[in-house]
Amino acid sequence: LFVRFFYDARMPSFLAGHVHAFAYFGGAARVVLYDNLKSAVLERQGDAIRLHPTLVEFAGHYRYEPRPVAPRRGNEKGRVERAIRYLRDAFFAGRTFVGLDDLNAQVLAFCQTLAMQRLWPDDRARTVESAFAEERPLLLVASGEPFPCAEQQPVRAGKTPYVRFDRNDYSIPHTHVCKELVVVADAERVRVVDGTHVIAEHARCYGAGEVLEDRSHIDALWSEKTGARTHRELDRLRRAVPRSQDFLRALAERGEPLARATRQLEELLDAHGACLLEQAIDDALARELLYIPALRKAIEQLAPPGHREAPELPTRLRAIVVRPHDLRTYDALTAEENDDGDEDT
C-alpha cells in the first residue's frame, strides 16, 4: 500500500502521486486501473474511450497501460476500494497531525510498517511484505528523469517586483519587472522562470492573499533605490551649489564618510538656500574647516539679520533647483537706462 495526500486533485498533483508511488515501489505495474475521473478519461461512449493526452504521455514515459474501469463497477478494482476502508479504520481513526508534511510522513511510516505486516489475501499464511518482495522484480523500471509534473503558468510581472500565482504574491528580482515570465510550481516549490533561467524560488503557499518574499530581492531593490537617491542628491547639490563638490572632495581625501555629509549638505540647502550655503562652503574651504558644524557656524555669521530657516518642503519640491541671480546684473541694466535718459535730455 502507498498513500500520499495533496491539497488538491488537479493534474499536477494527480501525476505527482504516481511518481511518488513508482519511486516507493521501485517501478510501475504493467497495467494501472483508473476510475473515470477527468484527469484520466475525457469522454467515453461504451468501449470507445478518449483518455487525457497528458496521462497518455505520462503512461508512455513509464511504459505502462492506463486502463479505465467500467462506470459504477467497483468490483473491478475491489482491492483498491477495500484499501481505502482499511486506511480509514487503521490509519485515520484517532490520529492527530500538524500540516500536510506531518500527515504524509505519518502515512509513509504506516505504509512501511503496519500495512506491510497485513496478511496477504491470496495466502493468509504470508504477509504483504513477503509477497511484494517476490513481485518487485517484475515491475517496470523507468529509465531517465522522472516525468515533469509541475504546473506551468505564464504570468506578467507588473511595476512591482512580484508575480501572482494561485492567489498569492511571490517576490522576484526588481530587474525583471514588466516582463512576461513563467511560474513552474509543484507541491513544495514555486519557481519563476525567465526563458531558461530560474530567477526566483519560494516554498509554495496554499493560503490566499499571502506575500512571500526572498530577502535578497528586497535587499537588492533597497540598495539600488538608495544608490539612486544618493546620485539624485549629489546631482542636486552639484547644480545648486557647485562648490559643494570641492567640499565633498576634500572630505573624501580626509577619509570622511560621504553619504552622511551629502545628506547634511542637503539639509542645509533646504534650510538656508543655495547662496548662503555656497558662501559658507567658500569660507570653510578657505579656512580649511572641513566640518559640517563649521558650515552651520559660517551660515549663522553670514546670514542677514532676521534670517530664519526655510520650512521643510515636500519631497517632490526638493528636487527643484532655483539658482538665484546676481542682483548686480539688474543694477547694471538700471545704470544703462539712466545713461540713455541723460543723453536724450
Side-chain angles (χ1 to χ4, degrees), residues 33-298:
L33 301 181
Y34 292 95
D35 274 331
N36 291 272
L37 71 166
K38 288 298 182 182
S39 297
V41 178
L42 292 181
E43 58 180 337
R44 67 182 298 162
Q45 296 292 336
D47 294 334
I49 301 172
R50 184 163 72 92
L51 295 174
H52 197 294
T54 303
L55 179 63
V56 173
E57 183 182 1
F58 179 86
H61 181 85
Y62 289 99
R63 299 181 297 122
Y64 72 86
E65 176 192 348
R67 184 183 298 173
V69 299
R72 295 175 295 279
R73 295 288 179 86
N75 59 298
E76 293 188 11
K77 50 179 179 55
R79 288 189 181 180
V80 176
E81 301 288 350
R82 186 68 184 85
I84 295 174
R85 172 72 178 274
Y86 168 70
L87 185 71
R88 287 173 176 166
D89 294 342
F91 174 73
F92 263 121
R95 184 173 297 272
T96 60
F97 54 91
V98 181
L100 189 67
D101 291 340
D102 181 33
L103 179 60
N104 278 324
Q106 290 189 42
V107 78
L108 179 61
F110 171 81
C111 291
Q112 292 171 333
T113 55
L114 188 60
M116 278 293 197
Q117 301 307 316
R118 291 174 298 156
L119 298 180
W120 185 35
D122 289 353
D123 183 353
R124 309 295 290 183
R126 302 176 62 188
T127 64
V128 170
E129 185 175 19
S130 63
F132 181 59
E134 294 180 4
E135 294 181 358
R136 186 191 293 270
L138 303 177
L139 296 175
L140 299 171
V141 179
S143 59
E145 295 293 322
F147 187 86
C149 303
E151 182 177 356
Q152 298 188 28
Q153 179 177 313
V155 294
R156 176 170 178 78
K159 295 181 180 179
T160 57
Y162 297 89
V163 295
R164 169 149 290 205
F165 171 72
D166 199 18
R167 300 182 298 168
N168 296 296
D169 292 325
Y170 296 86
S171 70
I172 60 171
H174 67 277
T175 53
H176 290 73
V177 298
C178 300
K179 295 186 67 175
E180 299 291 340
L181 305 170
V182 176
V183 169
V184 180
D186 57 28
E188 292 83 26
R189 308 297 296 172
V190 170
R191 292 173 295 162
V192 185
V193 180
D194 182 9
T196 58
H197 301 287
V198 177
I199 62 171
E201 185 171 343
H202 299 270
R204 183 162 185 176
C205 175
Y206 285 92
E210 300 290 335
V211 177
L212 291 92
E213 295 179 336
D214 185 327
R215 191 68 227 175
S216 65
H217 299 159
I218 307 305
D219 291 344
L221 176 60
W222 184 88
S223 297
E224 179 163 311
K225 291 293 186 183
T226 302
R229 183 168 61 249
T230 300
H231 287 308
R232 286 196 299 271
E233 291 171 353
L234 286 171
D235 185 61
R236 180 184 175 219
L237 277 172
R238 179 184 58 79
R239 290 185 289 116
V241 187
R243 287 286 277 167
S244 65
Q245 304 307 297
D246 297 327
F247 187 82
L248 290 172
R249 192 175 301 111
L251 289 181
E253 292 173 356
R254 292 165 56 93
E256 299 290 339
L258 297 181
R260 183 176 62 184
T262 301
R263 288 195 301 271
Q264 291 173 331
L265 287 173
E266 272 235 315
E267 292 170 359
L268 291 175
L269 174 62
D270 291 335
H272 301 286
C275 285
L276 274 179
L277 180 57
E278 180 117 337
Q279 293 177 47
I281 289 176
D282 284 336
D283 181 72
L285 290 172
R287 299 166 62 186
E288 296 186 356
L289 298 175
L290 304 177
Y291 307 99
I292 297 296
L295 289 182
R296 293 196 179 99
K297 185 67 175 176

